[in-house]
Amino acid sequence: MNVVKTGLPTIFAFVALTTLPNIANAFELEQLSARAGTLGVGAEVGVEVLPTLVLRGVGQGYKYNYNKTLDGINYDGKLSLGSYGLQADFHPPLIPLYFTGGIYANDNKMDLTAIPSGTYTIGDNTYTGAQVGTLNSHATFNKTALYGGLGLEFQLGPIATVLEGGIYYQGSPKIASNVSGPIASNPTFQQDLAKETSQLEDKLDNAKYYPAITLMGRWKF
C-alpha cells in the first residue's frame, strides 16, 4: 500500500482551491485585485458574505538577494517569500477604513552563505577560511502564519486603490547550519557551530513579527 504524505500547505491549498469557487457561487463575487508589498507580489479574489464582510483568497511570493553582517560574519542572503491564505475584512459603513485578519500557509525561508575571507569567529573560537570552507545556514518559519491589520480603500467607479498594513506572525526562525570544510566533523567545532546557530536564531528572532505593507489595485463588481 502506498502512503502519500501531505503537508499543511498542500491541504490548505486544496481546501482553498476547492471551496473558493463554491463560496463565490454561494455569495456575490465582490472584487479582484493585484497586490504588491513586503510579502511579495500576487493576486486575490474576494466575495461578499455580508454587506460589511468580505472574504478574500490571497496568493503571493517573491525572491530577492541581499548582503548582511550577523554576529561578525558577512553573508550573502537569499529571501524567498511565499504565502497563500484567507482573509476576512470587516468594512464599517460609510468610511474607507476596514479591519482584516486571516490565516496563511507560510513558505517564507531564508538562505545565508558566508563570504570566505580570512578567518571566521564561530562560537567561542576562531577558524580559518580553509578549515571552514563555506558556511551555509537555512532558516524556516512556522508552516502556518496569522495575520491582522487595517486597510484603506479608495474607490472611483469600479476601480479602487487599497493600502493595507499589519503584522504577519510566522513564529521564530528555525535554523540549520553546515560547513563544507575539513573541520566539519570536529566535535569542538560542532559545538561552536551549534552555539553560532543559536546566536543567529536570536539575531533573526524579530522576523517572527513580519511587517506586512501591501498596495493593491482592485476591480470592484
Side-chain angles (χ1 to χ4, degrees):
M1 181 177 66
N2 294 326
V3 178
V4 178
K5 295 182 178 180
T6 303
L8 179 61
T10 303
I11 295 172
F12 195 91
F14 175 78
V15 171
L17 291 174
T18 55
T19 59
L20 277 176
N22 295 328
I23 292 173
N25 289 330
F27 302 104
E28 182 180 352
L29 182 62
E30 207 268 342
Q31 60 196 33
L32 292 173
S33 307
R35 52 189 285 136
T38 57
L39 285 168
V41 297
E44 61 177 52
V45 59
V47 295
E48 185 178 276
V49 180
L50 296 170
T52 57
L53 182 64
V54 173
L55 183 65
R56 288 185 281 152
V58 181
Q60 58 200 344
Y62 197 70
K63 294 182 180 181
Y64 66 90
N65 300 322
Y66 64 97
N67 296 319
K68 193 170 184 65
T69 299
L70 294 168
D71 202 27
I73 298 177
N74 296 321
Y75 289 96
D76 284 334
K78 178 181 291 184
L79 179 61
S80 299
L81 299 171
S83 56
Y84 43 95
L86 296 174
Q87 282 183 226
D89 305 336
F90 172 68
H91 291 258
L94 305 177
I95 62 173
L97 177 72
Y98 65 88
F99 304 89
T100 186
I103 184 169
Y104 279 82
N106 179 42
D107 196 32
N108 289 349
K109 51 185 175 285
M110 186 183 304
D111 290 293
L112 299 169
T113 301
I115 303 171
S117 60
T119 59
Y120 297 92
T121 299
I122 296 176
D124 296 326
N125 295 290
T126 299
Y127 301 90
T128 68
Q131 288 176 304
V132 175
T134 302
L135 171 59
N136 297 299
S137 296
H138 179 70
T140 57
F141 301 86
N142 292 349
K143 288 300 182 182
T144 302
L146 300 177
Y147 171 77
L150 300 171
L152 288 170
E153 181 182 73
F154 301 99
Q155 185 175 352
L156 182 61
I159 299 175
T161 301
V162 183
L163 179 63
E164 186 177 294
I167 297 296
Y168 183 86
Y169 178 75
Q170 58 184 346
S172 298
K174 292 163 278 291
I175 300 177
S177 299
N178 63 77
V179 301
S180 63
I183 205 170
S185 60
N186 181 279
T188 300
F189 175 77
Q190 289 177 347
Q191 292 177 0
D192 281 333
L193 184 60
K195 183 175 292 187
E196 187 67 33
T197 300
S198 178
Q199 292 171 351
L200 188 59
E201 287 177 338
D202 291 340
K203 295 285 185 181
L204 297 176
D205 191 60
N206 286 340
K208 66 184 177 185
Y209 298 108
Y210 196 89
I213 308 296
T214 305
L215 181 65
M216 289 170 266
R218 178 168 290 168
W219 182 269
K220 307 278 286 188
F221 293 95

